[in-house]
Amino acid sequence: MNTQSKSNKVTRRSFLQRTTLAAGALSTYPSLKALGYKSPNEKLNLAVIGAGGQPFSDLRQAHGGTENVTAMCDVDWDRGARGFETFPSAAKYKDFRQMLDKSGKDIDAVVIGTPDHMHATCALACMQSGKHVYVEKPLTRTPWEARLLTKAAQKYDKVATQMGNQGYSHDATRVACEILWSGEIGEVREVHAWSGRPSWPQGMTKIPPPTPVPDSLDWDLWLGGAAWREYTAGDDDYRAFIEERNARSFRPAGAQGGRRGGPGGPESGGPGGAGAPRGARGGGGGFRPPSYGFYLPFNWRGFYDFGSSLIGDWGVHILGPANWGLQLSPEYLISVECINKDSLPPFTFPDELTIKFEFGARPGMPPVTVYWYHHANGDAYLPEGMTAEEAHKIPDSGPQVGPAGRRGGFGGGRGGGPGGVQRSGYNCIFVGSKGYLGTSGRGEGVGLLPGKRWAEYKLPTPTLARSPGASTGDNHSAHCHDWIRACKGGAPACSNFSIAGKYTEWLVLGAAAVHYDGKLLWDNAKGEVTNIADANQMVKPTFRKGWEISL
């Protein structure tokens, strides 16, 4: 049924006006070429900050066998070895500042996949040097840094930018937007999104004594702008903590973890490292074999000073359809509150928590409350009176979005954790006045709830341009190609910093809210919390001397 209400229907003209940049149009613009962009037929000279792990994967996708790789940087040359070996003719550095200084004339665009606390520092330096930038998600660790990069994109407007939230390039994310805008589920006033429990270690209460820094690692460069601390790989107490944690962990069915470079891009996930099975890296509550680094190779994501836990790791993926479809932005944000947490560790995020974001009315849309859960097992939300089995899609029925047989990441299967917990197949559910819509994975799956409604549904007429290659299911490649096309004079990439900056700004404010009881009231004009002054130290980071950044 494709029913619409005149009171909440978003007209074709209005949403196209609001989503021109995000649509990823397929044409190229001569006016951009006139400003100095390269022809689509010319090869780009690419560099990377992080030569292993996720940034290496991004680089390969961006390279695509058609571009050049001229320089590579990694603060740990053992971790970066795979990238160095793949592109042996590229200049090799440990300090990205030296790379820009010595090889800058040979670089057009830079892929950045450092730990979160260095995203803004590296990206801004590259943009100020006139380099196009692709920055892995989340764009920044703090709201202030996100706003800084939004402003930088306005100032350095010849630079093409993209955040690595690949779901934005998937057909299902765009179909979800079109369904929401069609009025099919009415006015959306609630969104519930969740992931499993973090698979990297969190909840430690003491820092182990220092251990020798590996010969391959420049620890001072890895810390960058973060406060100095001694390197440690852990001790017996820490190893016992990891053993006990892994023994009681479980991996929800369908869960997928992200892979990210550690110190400038090591080839590793969290505990389990490079040898962990596919699907057990990153977030999502997975069990992994023990790996005992304390901060490295991937454990940094759970530390307040370096990452934003699952909020930035998977929240930025899972909430992508909500951000786009509901036109969320810090200008409409009213408050953020951590309404539940199982603990408040001294230097890492808690394992289980619930964050509540309250947004005011947006053009053509009512106020909406967004809930984000780090949830131990099963669905964090189901419509009242609906079972997971009823919510789930009926096999081989209803519209097929994306390649056939692809379920789309988290919650894609019906099985579950201990006891065979049933799942809806979704990790984000939109609550409308006339029904429910769900998305899954990184926004790679979409459907109406209950499943029988999806089985009878006919998709609305497409109004958003599709990203090239997304229909094949390789949205990672499509997302990188979208950026490469923008670098060469095409339309702005679908998650360019004018979009990704605002998205990241409101999202990572949730990481700040973890530290406080009660609502953080947001003043968008000032870019600060108004009712708890202390919270603003979490909004804008303190940089170590010599690492300060500004436009």
Side-chain angles (χ1 to χ4, degrees):
M1 65 181 80
N2 282 340
T3 58
Q4 293 179 337
S5 166
K6 291 183 179 179
S7 64
N8 62 54
K9 178 181 177 182
V10 181
T11 67
R12 176 181 173 86
R13 175 177 294 180
S14 66
F15 76 66
L16 285 177
Q17 286 175 340
R18 292 207 306 267
T19 57
T20 298
L21 290 179
L26 302 182
S27 61
T28 56
Y29 297 147
S31 60
L32 295 179
K33 293 179 186 177
L35 291 174
Y37 282 83
K38 288 182 174 291
S39 162
N41 296 320
E42 292 182 53
K43 289 187 175 183
L44 286 176
N45 289 335
L46 300 174
V48 66
I49 304 176
Q54 185 63 44
F56 171 67
S57 176
D58 293 336
L59 178 67
R60 287 198 304 172
Q61 297 288 349
H63 175 261
T66 61
E67 313 301 331
N68 300 319
V69 176
T70 57
M72 308 186 80
C73 176
D74 202 304
V75 300
D76 187 334
W77 281 14
D78 278 355
R79 297 296 182 184
R82 186 179 180 191
F84 297 147
E85 292 167 0
T86 303
F87 300 103
S89 63
K92 187 167 63 172
Y93 298 92
K94 282 197 172 182
D95 190 330
F96 75 92
R97 298 167 299 183
Q98 291 184 4
M99 181 181 77
L100 291 174
D101 182 50
K102 296 181 179 180
S103 293
K105 66 182 185 302
D106 300 319
I107 298 171
D108 297 315
V110 184
V111 173
I112 299 168
T114 66
D116 298 353
H117 72 287
M118 288 298 289
H119 281 188
T121 300
C122 296
L124 184 62
C126 292
M127 295 170 76
Q128 290 172 331
S129 298
K131 315 305 179 188
H132 308 298
V133 289
Y134 181 106
V135 181
E136 259 303 334
K137 52 79 191 172
L139 183 61
T140 62
R141 186 181 69 87
T142 65
W144 180 86
E145 292 170 298
R147 183 168 291 198
L148 182 71
L149 290 190
T150 302
K151 293 177 179 178
Q154 296 170 345
K155 181 175 182 179
Y156 306 110
D157 57 359
K158 293 184 181 181
V159 169
T161 60
Q162 180 85 305
M163 177 172 71
N165 54 328
Q166 296 88 357
Y168 252 49
S169 285
H170 200 280
D171 285 359
T173 291
R174 301 176 190 218
V175 168
C177 292
E178 291 162 350
I179 295 173
L180 291 168
W181 297 336
S182 76
E184 175 66 25
I185 68 166
E187 293 186 334
V188 176
R189 294 183 178 271
E190 281 187 18
V191 178
H192 298 265
W194 62 92
S195 69
R197 185 178 140 187
S199 51
W200 53 80
Q202 294 183 168
M204 296 82 77
T205 58
K206 68 174 185 176
I207 297 176
T211 59
V213 178
D215 292 341
S216 63
L217 171 66
D218 188 317
W219 176 238
D220 183 68
L221 286 179
W222 188 95
L223 286 172
W228 174 262
R229 70 216 62 202
E230 296 293 334
Y231 174 85
T232 179
D235 59 7
D236 288 343
D237 287 345
Y238 174 62
R239 285 187 278 274
F241 173 87
I242 296 296
E243 294 279 9
E244 191 276 333
R245 178 185 175 88
N246 282 343
R248 58 185 167 85
S249 293
F250 58 88
R251 180 176 181 270
Q256 291 183 353
R259 291 178 68 181
R260 169 63 68 84
E267 174 63 70
S268 180
R278 180 173 175 83
R281 293 179 177 131
F287 168 81
R288 304 187 209 163
S291 177
Y292 299 120
F294 190 70
Y295 300 113
L296 309 180
F298 189 74
N299 300 351
W300 54 265
R301 185 172 290 289
F303 288 79
Y304 299 136
D305 288 351
F306 305 133
S308 48
S309 192
L310 282 170
I311 297 170
D313 183 48
W314 270 96
V316 70
H317 283 314
I318 295 169
L319 283 166
N323 182 69
W324 192 345
L326 299 180
Q327 300 290 295
L328 304 179
S329 173
E331 65 187 289
Y332 303 115
L333 183 66
I334 298 171
S335 66
V336 183
E337 181 179 7
C338 183
I339 61 175
N340 177 61
K341 54 196 170 195
D342 65 349
S343 63
L344 186 61
F347 45 82
T348 76
F349 286 86
D351 274 344
E352 296 179 31
L353 55 80
T354 304
I355 304 292
K356 178 181 178 181
F357 300 88
E358 293 182 318
F359 291 89
R362 286 90 58 229
M365 300 181 186
V368 64
T369 301
V370 177
Y371 296 89
W372 167 251
Y373 309 83
H374 293 189
H375 194 65
N377 189 27
D379 293 308
Y381 173 85
L382 276 174
E384 185 176 356
M386 189 182 302
T387 67
E389 185 69 16
E390 291 169 336
H392 208 284
K393 289 181 181 179
I394 299 173
D396 303 316
S397 64
Q400 174 65 49
V401 181
R406 187 176 180 87
R407 292 187 179 273
F410 276 105
R414 294 191 181 193
V421 176
Q422 292 294 313
R423 299 176 183 279
S424 66
Y426 300 105
N427 56 20
C428 183
I429 294 177
F430 297 75
V431 181
S433 59
K434 297 190 295 182
Y436 304 91
L437 180 142
T439 57
S440 59
R442 301 171 179 85
E444 297 147 330
V446 61
L448 296 174
L449 291 74
K452 63 182 181 181
R453 185 170 179 180
W454 184 248
E456 302 168 352
Y457 184 64
K458 181 180 179 180
L459 294 177
T461 301
T463 49
L464 290 176
R466 298 319 193 231
S467 181
S471 61
T472 67
D474 189 4
N475 54 305
H476 189 175
S477 177
H479 202 61
C480 291
H481 179 71
D482 187 41
W483 172 63
I484 291 293
R485 187 181 55 196
C487 294
K488 294 183 177 183
C494 64
S495 194
N496 69 80
F497 289 2
S498 68
I499 296 165
K502 291 183 177 181
Y503 179 19
T504 303
E505 183 176 328
W506 72 256
L507 184 78
V508 298
L509 191 59
V514 170
H515 299 273
Y516 304 95
D517 295 324
K519 294 182 178 181
L520 303 184
L521 302 181
W522 183 246
D523 184 326
N524 183 66
K526 295 181 179 180
E528 63 183 32
V529 174
T530 59
N531 62 322
I532 303 177
D534 180 66
N536 288 305
Q537 67 179 328
M538 305 294 176
V539 173
K540 180 181 179 180
T542 299
F543 293 94
R544 193 154 55 111
K545 186 176 181 180
W547 287 95
E548 302 85 355
I549 59 176
S550 63
L551 284 180

